[in-house]
Amino acid sequence: MHSPAAAPADSHDVIKVRGARENNLADVSLDIPKRRLTVFSGVSGSGKSSLVFGTIAAESQRLINETYTAFLQSFMATPSRPDVDALHNLSAAIVVDQERMGVNSRSTVGTATDAYAMLRIVFSRLGTPHIGTSSAFSFNSPEGMCPKCEGIGRVSDLDVTRLVDAELSLNQGAIIVPGFTVDAWYTQVYRGSGFFDPDKKLKDFTPAEWDDLLHKPVTKVKIGTSNLSYEGLAVKVRRMFLEKDRESLKPGIRAFVDSVATFAKCPACDGARLNPAALSATVNGRTIAECSAMQISDLAEFTRDIRDESVRPLVANLSGTLDSLVEIGLGYLSLDRESSTLSGGEAQRVKMVRHLGSSLTDITYVFDEPTVGLHPHDIRRMNNLLLLLRDKGNTVLVVEHKPETIEIADHVVDLGPGAGPNGGRICYAGDVAGLRASGSLTGRHLDHRARLRDRVRRPRGHLSITGASLHNLRNVSVDVPLGVLTVVTGVAGSGKSSLIHGSLAGRDGVVTVDQSAIRGSRRSNPATYTGLLDSVRTAFAKANGVKPALFSANSEGACPNCKGIGLIYTDLAMMAGVASVCEECEGKRFTPKVLTYTLRGKDISEVLAMSVAEARAFFTSGPSRAVLDRLSDVGLGYLGLGQPLTTLSGGERQRLKLAIRMAEKAGTYILDEPTTGLHLADVDQLLGLLDRLVDDGNSVVVIEHHQAVMAHADWIIDMGPGAGHDGGRVVFTGTPADLVAHGDSLTARHLRDYLHGSGA
C-alpha cells in the first residue's frame, strides 16, 4: 500500500523571515520551525526583541487586525507594518509580556484571571443568606460595591502638615503647596479673606480659624472692589490635584500629590471593597472577601470541598484556574491582590494562566524572558509550562538568557555578535549541541560558572531590621552588613522584596534602583534623562557664542514642522496610524540654522546620533565625559544618546537609572534583580561594577536569583523556606561558602548544583 503524497498544507512547517531590518536588524533572513520551542539569545540590545516582537509578533497581529472591517479597525490600535521584505507561514500570535498590568486599582489577580467572576457565581448560587445575582458580589458594580469607598477598599485623605508650615503666618508664606507662593493669586484670596489675621502664625489659629483655612466650602468674599470665590485649602487641593488623573500631572505636582495623599483602609468595609449585604453571605462558613484574601493555594483546597451538584462544572473550572496559578508558582498570591502591585515576572505568569487551559492550537506564543524574578527552583516549573504549550501543538518563541531555559529548546537563534549597531545579525541557528560547539558568545558562556570568592570582605557595621511583618514576613529581625556585597535570595514569594523594600528602602543614605518603568515620552532619551544634554548644549553655545536653548529639540531650536520629534505621526482614522520621517529636517529634529553651528566639526544632531561609546571618544573631559563614563560602566556603551526611552528594555532602563544614581554617593544601594535582561557574558561585567561600588566604600544589597551573583557575594540572606505563608522567614545568613557547605534550603541545593557544574 502506497503512503499518500504529502499534502501541500504540510509544507508550511517553518515561519520564513526574509530581509528583516526593524531597528538594528541587518537584513536578517531565517527559518523558524513551527510547533517547536525556539529560544532567541544574545546580548542585551542585539536585536532579539526587534526580531521576535517588533517583526514576527507585530506582523501577525497587524494581519489579524486587517481581517476586521474598516469600521472595527478604526477602534483598534494597529501597529504599522514592520520593516521586512517578507514573512511567510505566520500563525496567530499571542504575546505574553512583562508589561505591568495597568495602574487601575479596580483590577486584581482575581479579576485579571476570571477566578473572581467564577467565585461570584458560586456565591450567588450557594451563598446563605441568598442576596442576588453575581453582580451583587462585584466591587466594580453599584450593586455590590461598598458605598463609602466605591469598591476601592481605601479612602484617601490629606496630610495637612504637607500643605502648610504652622510656624509661619500667611504673609510669611505658610502655604507650601506648589504654585501657592505669597504673591500668587490663590494665596492673596486667603490673605485678604478677613477670616483670620494674615500676620498671625498658623500654630496660634483657633479651631474655627483652622476649619476656615482648610475646610470652608466655596464662599463669596469681597477683597477690595472684587467679589471673589473662597474655598478651604484642603478643599481646593483635593479639587485641583487629587481628583485629577495622577498620570496627567506634571512630575513635580505628581510628587507633591504622592507626598500629601494618605490612603487608609476604608472604615465601612474594612478594606473588603463590598457592601454589608455582599459580606453577609457565606459558603461553607466563609464570606467572598475571606476567600479573596486567602492564599491561592489555600483557596484551591477550600474550593475542592464545594461539592454541590448545581455548580460542579463551574467549580471544576475555578479549581483548574487556581491549580494553574499554584503550578506556575503563584500560589502565594491572593485573588484580592491589586494587579498594579505585581512584579513584571508575576504579571507575565498571571497572563500565562489564561492560555494554559485554552483549547486553541497552532498558536504562536511569544514570551519575553519568562524566567525573570524566578528562583532556579521555579525555573523548572516554568520550563515545564513552556513545553506543555509546545506539546499542545503550538509554536513557542522565547527571548531568554538563562542557560536552564536555553537548554530545553528544540531550536536556538543566537543574535549578535554585539549590541546596537554591532548586533542585528544571526550568529547561530540550530540545536543546543550545535550552539555549544559554535564558538558564539552564548555558546561559549552556556557552561560558564562564576566561582566563590577566595576571600570575602569584612563588614564595617550593619543596618538592623527588627520585627519586620509586612505581607508574609514573620516578625523578621536580621542584620544587613555594611561595606560588603549582600545578596538576598529565596523562591518567588518568599518575602525578599517585602523585607528589603519594606524595611531598608527609604532610610537616610539608602538609594533604591528598581525595575519600574521610566516615564518617558517620545521626546525623552538617554541624553535628556541623564542631564547629559545640558552640558552638551552649554558646550555648543559656548563654542558658537549663542544661547543654549537653540540646541534643545524641545525649545527654540526645534524644527517647526515636526516640533522637534523628527517624525510626523499621521492618524489615518479608519486605518493604522503611520510615522514618517519629517521632510523638513530629514529626521534631524532641528532647524537648518541650528545645524550650521558645530562643535569640533559635528552639529548637534550628529552628536545625538552617536552611541555612548562614540560620544566618550568625542567628549574627552568635563561633566559630559563623567556621565558617559557611568553609562559605559553599567554596560550601556551601545545605547544611542538620542534613542527614545520608550524603546529601552526593562534591563536597560534599570541600568540607566543606576548610572544616574551612582553619582549621588549614596552609601547604600539596593538593586532589584539587576541581571534582568543581561546575557551570560554581561553578568561578569555587572559583577565587576558591583565590586567597584563596594570597593569605593559603598554597601550594596542585591535582591537576586542568579547563581553567579550568589556565588560572588560576601554575605547571603536566604528567605523561605517556601512562598507565601510557607515563607517569610530568614532560613540562612552567612557566607556563600557556608551556605554551600552546610545549607539545606532550595537555594543551597541549587547553588551547590551550579558550582558542581563548574568543577568548583
Side-chain angles (χ1 to χ4, degrees), residues 518-540:
I518 295 170
R519 303 223 177 273
S521 67
R522 293 165 179 161
R523 295 181 175 278
S524 305
N525 54 47
T528 58
Y529 185 72
T530 59
L532 173 68
L533 189 60
D534 295 338
S535 56
V536 170
R537 284 164 49 201
T538 302
F540 266 93

Side-chain angles (χ1 to χ4, degrees), residues 417-674:
N422 298 319
R425 292 182 282 282
I426 303 291
C427 296
Y428 171 80
D431 63 13
V432 178
L435 176 68
R436 276 199 168 87
S438 68
S440 74
L441 195 61
T442 305
R444 292 201 306 275
H445 278 81
L446 209 52
D447 296 312
H448 169 67
R449 297 285 186 270
R451 293 176 172 274
L452 295 175
R453 286 181 177 281
D454 293 332
R455 276 200 312 279
V456 294
R457 302 176 183 95
R458 310 289 306 171
R460 57 158 197 270
H462 58 258
L463 291 172
S464 290
I465 296 174
T466 312
S469 55
L470 182 66
H471 297 140
N472 68 331
L473 295 177
R474 306 286 186 95
N475 200 25
V476 170
S477 297
V478 67
D479 288 340
V480 179
L482 292 170
V484 301
L485 173 58
T486 301
V487 172
V488 182
T489 186
V491 296
S494 60
K496 305 178 299 297
S497 295
S498 300
L499 179 69
I500 299 304
H501 292 304
S503 300
L504 217 52
R507 294 192 189 184
D508 282 347
V510 176
V511 159
T512 303
V513 188
D514 62 17
Q515 297 179 40
S516 61
I518 295 170
R519 303 223 177 273
S521 67
R522 293 165 179 161
R523 295 181 175 278
S524 305
N525 54 47
T528 58
Y529 185 72
T530 59
L532 173 68
L533 189 60
D534 295 338
S535 56
V536 170
R537 284 164 49 201
T538 302
F540 266 93
K542 202 169 170 186
N544 292 281
V546 292
K547 42 186 194 180
L550 282 175
F551 303 99
S552 167
N554 300 330
S555 187
E556 288 181 39
C559 164
N561 188 45
C562 64
K563 309 291 190 290
I565 293 177
L567 299 168
I568 301 289
Y569 291 89
T570 309
D571 180 9
L572 299 180
M574 300 299 266
M575 294 165 64
V578 293
S580 52
V581 175
C582 171
E583 290 179 8
E584 298 267 327
C585 67
E586 296 175 341
K588 292 179 178 175
R589 306 174 63 196
F590 296 89
T591 62
K593 174 73 175 159
V594 170
L595 298 178
T596 63
Y597 300 121
T598 59
L599 177 67
R600 295 194 295 283
K602 299 279 187 188
D603 66 41
I604 183 71
S605 85
E606 288 172 320
V607 169
L608 288 175
M610 291 178 180
S611 67
V612 168
E614 290 166 337
R616 282 182 79 218
F618 186 75
F619 294 102
T620 51
S621 61
S624 299
R625 177 58 187 253
V627 175
L628 291 164
D629 282 347
R630 291 201 304 276
L631 288 168
S632 182
D633 283 345
V634 298
L636 294 177
Y638 62 88
L639 215 57
L641 298 186
Q643 185 177 336
L645 290 187
T646 47
T647 64
L648 266 55
S649 70
E652 287 167 338
R653 289 196 303 257
Q654 189 181 16
R655 296 197 297 286
L656 181 60
K657 288 185 201 173
L658 178 58
I660 293 171
R661 307 310 292 261
M662 277 166 60
E664 295 178 12
K665 298 284 178 263
T668 300
Y669 288 90
I670 296 173
L671 304 184
D672 202 339
E673 287 181 69

Side-chain angles (χ1 to χ4, degrees), residues 93-419:
I94 293 174
V95 173
V96 190
D97 60 19
Q98 289 178 39
E99 282 298 310
R100 300 287 175 107
M101 296 172 69
V103 289
N104 185 346
S105 55
R106 294 189 176 278
S107 171
T108 64
V109 171
T111 61
T113 57
D114 290 339
Y116 189 69
M118 291 185 264
L119 197 60
R120 287 195 287 117
I121 298 170
V122 171
F123 268 79
S124 69
R125 301 277 175 81
L126 304 182
T128 53
H130 176 75
I131 67 153
T133 66
S134 67
S135 57
F137 293 95
S138 169
F139 48 80
N140 291 330
S141 148
E143 286 176 73
M145 67 173 56
C146 165
K148 182 168 180 64
C149 64
E150 298 184 337
I152 299 292
R154 298 190 306 270
V155 285
S156 65
D157 205 354
L158 283 175
D159 180 353
V160 174
T161 62
R162 303 277 185 165
L163 303 181
V164 292
D165 182 345
E167 296 294 324
L168 303 176
S169 69
L170 289 170
N171 282 345
Q172 290 174 316
I175 298 177
I176 52 177
V177 176
F180 284 63
T181 55
V182 175
D183 300 323
W185 176 248
Y186 295 135
T187 312
Q188 287 180 36
V189 176
Y190 292 104
R191 289 164 58 200
S193 66
F195 295 133
F196 20 64
D197 177 357
D199 287 315
K200 184 177 179 180
K201 287 192 167 80
L202 266 54
K203 67 179 180 183
D204 299 326
F205 272 25
T206 65
E209 287 172 329
W210 268 112
D211 195 59
D212 283 344
L213 174 65
L214 294 171
H215 306 300
K216 197 172 192 68
V218 177
T219 311
K220 289 287 181 210
V221 293
K222 187 159 182 128
I223 299 179
T225 57
S226 305
N227 286 316
L228 301 170
S229 287
Y230 175 99
E231 63 182 327
L233 183 62
V235 180
K236 189 183 279 287
V237 166
R238 272 200 191 88
R239 179 177 59 76
M240 288 177 63
F241 302 130
L242 263 65
E243 290 170 8
K244 293 203 172 139
D245 175 30
R246 182 182 172 281
E247 297 308 310
S248 68
L249 301 173
K250 290 180 179 170
I253 300 292
R254 200 184 300 153
F256 163 72
V257 167
D258 290 345
S259 71
V260 301
T262 57
F263 290 94
K265 192 185 278 186
C266 173
C269 64
D270 198 30
R273 298 171 172 246
L274 296 164
N275 61 30
L279 294 173
S280 70
T282 61
V283 171
N284 288 0
R286 298 276 191 171
T287 67
I288 194 166
E290 288 170 333
C291 289
S292 294
M294 273 186 201
Q295 192 164 301
I296 286 170
S297 54
D298 293 340
L299 182 59
E301 291 296 321
F302 172 82
T303 307
R304 274 189 266 283
D305 289 335
I306 301 173
R307 297 198 168 89
D308 193 292
E309 279 299 308
S310 67
V311 291
R312 194 160 58 85
L314 183 66
V315 169
N317 270 350
L318 175 58
S319 291
T321 299
L322 297 173
D323 288 344
S324 291
L325 284 162
V326 173
E327 179 55 35
I328 210 165
L330 295 177
Y332 59 88
L333 296 178
S334 55
L335 294 188
D336 64 2
R337 174 83 175 261
E338 280 190 24
S339 303
S340 60
T341 66
L342 300 178
S343 70
E346 286 170 334
Q348 186 175 32
R349 299 198 293 285
V350 166
K351 293 174 197 172
M352 203 173 174
V353 168
R354 298 181 75 93
H355 305 297
L356 290 172
S358 170
S359 299
L360 290 171
T361 184
D362 251 333
I363 299 287
T364 297
Y365 285 101
V366 186
F367 291 92
D368 184 11
E369 230 183 316
T371 63
V372 73
L374 289 184
H375 188 272
H377 168 74
D378 299 312
I379 289 176
R380 291 182 181 175
R381 285 170 154 177
M382 176 56 72
N383 284 350
N384 290 338
L385 292 166
L386 295 172
L387 294 169
L388 180 70
L389 281 172
R390 177 203 66 186
D391 292 345
K392 283 171 63 177
N394 298 302
T395 304
V396 182
L397 309 182
V398 182
V399 172
E400 188 53 86
H401 298 287
K402 295 274 168 60
E404 297 99 316
T405 299
I406 294 174
E407 281 165 0
I408 65 157
D410 302 305
H411 190 73
V412 181
V413 177
D414 192 41
L415 282 104

Side-chain angles (χ1 to χ4, degrees), residues 39-51:
V39 171
F40 294 79
S41 59
V43 296
S44 184
S46 61
K48 305 180 299 295
S49 294
S50 299
L51 178 59

